[in-house]
Amino acid sequence: MPAAAPPLLAKSVVDFLRRHAPYSHMSAAHLALMAGQAQLNYFPDGTSVAAPADGPPRLFYVIARGSIQIHDPAAAATEQTELALHAGDSFPLGAMIERSAVIYDHTASGDTFCYEFGRALFDTLLGESAPFADFCTRRLAHLLQASRRHAHARAAEDAFERLNMSSLLGALLRRPPLACAPGTALRTALGLMREHKVGSVIAQDGAGRVAGIFTERDLLNRVVLNHTALDAALDAPLAQVMTTDPLCLDENASAFDAALLMARHGVRHVPVTRGGTLLGVISERDLFSLQRTGVREIHDTIAHAKDAAALEAPAAGVRQLARNLLAQGMGAEQLTQLIVTLNDQLVEQAIHIVTHEDGSSADQIDFCWIALGSEGRMEQTISTDQDNGIIFAAVSAQQADAVRARLLPLAGRINQLLARLGFPLCQGGIMAGNPQWCLSLTEWQTQFDSWMHNPSPAALLNAAIFFDFRALHGNAALAQTLCDGLHAQAQARPAFLHMLAANALTNSAPLGLFSDLADSGTFDLKAHGVRPFIDAARVLALAHNIRPSHTAQRLRLASARYGAAGEAEAMVEAFHFIQMLRLTRQFKAQDDGGAPNQIELASLNELDRRILREALRQGRKLQTRLRLDYAL
């Protein structure tokens, strides 16, 4: 352990700790105990403060100035930091509790100063200070949640990479091909390769067809190693050293086809043609680059954004990536999960940026930013406004008013930044910056209880939005407590579930007497397409204490109660088919300015219309299940 600094003035240590959780809630006696044992240590940029190889930690730290970057030591060198800790943050609390080595590397970023405290003091505080013990437990939960999000992002990234190998070669060509006549001097061809910074040149005949290819490998094997008089060799025509009649692929072949061709024949460059005419060249490096672009680039850009302006490009990139993946055939479930994963990161970074611009005034407040509605269900599409709220801790109505007064300006700026990033302000005001939805845990519990006790039409409408919530930033334990209470109340209120089920039956697909769908006219894919599935799944989730908020998960888990997994999977596939039509329509609406969820039935081909008709029948079948369960 580095040599400790001289003892610090106790008052300055206490004053610092009182500005940060959990120390702001701890007793004066415990703070005095910490101040008496605090040592200040300096860590230059890049210094390892805690690492898995160090074994169980003997110290825990509170950052006084600077920051600590947390890295996954098993991740590739190109991957970026998952988490950063700043002034007032404490670490490594989980490892201290479990008396085990840290999982991640903790490294100083810039000149960093930390207060150090020993194992004995940690054990004393853990046993005697309820605020400290509670914070340590929640901090561990937060890190586990961050790890799960990281794994989720990696899984989404892997799916993107696999799918991109299905991309057509014509869509992957990034530059015109470097080509010259077969009679061009090798010296000239090499100069062109160096000038354009490419590893191959195509020999092209007068009709534009591929006559041969010359690569860096050919330079080594056919020129350098086979000629003693290099000057003379460099003046020879390209036709003497090139590979004649090279293996080519049509523009409609896939990236996977190119990779397979390279693997089978040991080549690194493949000319791409259209009707035999050269279009470009795909290299082994191009195929490898597919694994480094897209999701990872957007994720890294978001993570390193220092201000609002830096988030605008990745926000637009999410929408463009989604459009590309939809065009390449990614399924609705995977695509919406990908959109939500990246949008979650955008929201979290936006909160981080605004909070720090605000002077970290929210650091001392125990709150949780929650996603509602489609974002809460992880079913966010590209045409959606904001639905969010805040849960915060308060022990009295007076304290709740004081905390709300501090949070509302911050929440309002976050809402405005999200609007700037392409998430329009909610016209109904369902946003964290609205005092009505910036509530203490007790106030939220009272509000939920009121809706279930008096299920008016307005209450049922609110239930359709607010009961689909999940924690997005901050103390997730607050959201978990609210979720526990919601499900307990729902189990105890069968009358409310009955009315919620009845309300879920009011929005049926417009199928005719013999379950036919009209061949023309406008169809609302949201109101009459996915909404019956969403509303019914919510009722089933509350009735059977199913905690996930995603519609597909709710249907699958509910089916386990009925023993009808095959039936549920058909409903899930139907739901995702309609979601895919929604996404397709929303991208088209960006171009034609039309309604994002309204589709002209005449625009569907016969097969899609038949599948839509069958999907809507599955929605009807789900509603019939509710009708039987609740005798409606």
Side-chain angles (χ1 to χ4, degrees), residues 151-161 295 330 334 337-338 341:
H152 185 194
R154 290 287 300 278
E157 177 186 323
D158 290 344
F160 165 66
E161 291 169 1
V295 174
M330 178 176 271
Q334 293 80 12
Q337 293 286 305
L338 178 63
T341 296

Side-chain angles (χ1 to χ4, degrees), residues 367-370 388-392 407 411 432-433 437-440 444:
F367 78 97
C368 179
W369 184 282
I370 55 173
N388 47 58
I390 284 179
I391 311 170
F392 60 84
L407 282 173
W437 312 123
C438 179
L439 304 175
S440 71
W444 275 110

Side-chain angles (χ1 to χ4, degrees), residues 547-576:
R547 300 306 179 88
S549 59
H550 193 286
T551 297
Q553 290 175 301
R554 286 171 166 177
L555 293 175
R556 287 170 176 142
L557 292 172
S559 72
R561 311 292 198 273
Y562 292 110
E567 181 180 281
E569 201 55 42
M571 294 176 181
V572 168
E573 290 179 4
F575 171 71
H576 286 143

Side-chain angles (χ1 to χ4, degrees), residues 301-314:
T301 305
I302 294 171
H304 288 82
K306 302 300 183 184
D307 52 37
L311 283 177
E312 292 181 358

Side-chain angles (χ1 to χ4, degrees), residues 6 49 138 144 157 214 258 374 560 613:
V49 182
R138 287 192 290 104
L144 290 174
E157 177 186 323
F214 181 81
S374 62
R613 181 167 59 244

Side-chain angles (χ1 to χ4, degrees), residues 501 504-511 515 523 527-537 540 551 555 567-578 611-627:
L505 299 179
T506 60
N507 207 1
S508 297
L511 293 172
S515 297
F523 181 76
H528 301 304
V530 297
R531 181 60 62 187
F533 292 90
I534 293 169
D535 290 345
L540 293 174
T551 297
L555 293 175
E567 181 180 281
E569 201 55 42
M571 294 176 181
V572 168
E573 290 179 4
F575 171 71
H576 286 143
F577 175 78
I578 302 173
I611 298 174
L612 176 59
R613 181 167 59 244
E614 182 56 38
L616 296 178
R617 286 175 181 166
Q618 293 297 323
R620 282 281 185 90
K621 185 183 295 185
L622 182 56
Q623 290 181 320
T624 299
R625 166 70 66 181
L626 283 188
R627 188 173 287 109

Side-chain angles (χ1 to χ4, degrees), residues 39-89:
Q39 300 291 338
L40 185 65
N41 199 356
Y42 164 66
F43 299 98
D45 180 44
T47 302
S48 175
V49 182
D54 296 339
R58 296 174 296 166
L59 299 171
F60 78 97
Y61 305 86
V62 179
I63 302 173
R65 193 174 72 189
S67 65
I68 295 291
Q69 301 289 334
I70 299 180
H71 307 263
D72 181 356
T78 55
E79 294 185 5
Q80 302 297 327
T81 299
E82 171 67 17
L83 186 64
L85 304 179
H86 303 279
D89 285 333

Side-chain angles (χ1 to χ4, degrees), residues 414-595:
I414 294 170
N415 288 143
Q416 290 296 330
L417 174 52
L418 293 178
R420 177 177 168 183
L421 298 179
F423 305 97
L425 297 174
C426 177
Q427 296 300 309
I430 302 175
M431 293 178 292
N434 184 342
Q436 193 175 359
W437 312 123
C438 179
L439 304 175
S440 71
L441 175 59
T442 301
E443 290 170 335
W444 275 110
Q445 290 169 330
T446 300
Q447 180 65 81
F448 278 20
D449 184 70
S450 173
W451 287 334
M452 287 188 282
H453 187 69
N454 301 295
S456 64
L460 295 172
L461 178 61
N462 283 326
I465 300 172
F466 290 92
F467 285 10
D468 297 340
F469 70 90
R470 64 186 174 91
L472 192 55
H473 176 87
N475 182 6
L478 292 169
Q480 185 60 54
T481 301
L482 183 61
C483 180
D484 292 342
L486 168 62
H487 282 268
Q489 287 290 333
Q491 300 289 308
R493 297 278 175 82
F496 169 74
L497 288 178
H498 187 275
M499 293 194 68
L500 195 64
N503 189 65
L505 299 179
T506 60
N507 207 1
S508 297
L511 293 172
L513 181 63
F514 298 102
S515 297
D516 287 331
L517 182 67
D519 291 335
S520 62
T522 302
F523 181 76
D524 192 322
L525 292 165
K526 180 179 180 180
H528 301 304
V530 297
R531 181 60 62 187
F533 292 90
I534 293 169
D535 290 345
R538 183 183 303 108
V539 176
L540 293 174
L542 290 171
H544 298 287
N545 196 26
I546 294 170
R547 300 306 179 88
S549 59
H550 193 286
T551 297
Q553 290 175 301
R554 286 171 166 177
L555 293 175
R556 287 170 176 142
L557 292 172
S559 72
R561 311 292 198 273
Y562 292 110
E567 181 180 281
E569 201 55 42
M571 294 176 181
V572 168
E573 290 179 4
F575 171 71
H576 286 143
F577 175 78
I578 302 173
Q579 281 284 69
M580 181 60 67
L581 290 182
R582 284 186 70 202
L583 286 164
T584 303
R585 173 59 205 145
Q586 288 175 5
F587 281 120
K588 289 183 179 178
Q590 291 182 339
D591 300 327
D592 62 28

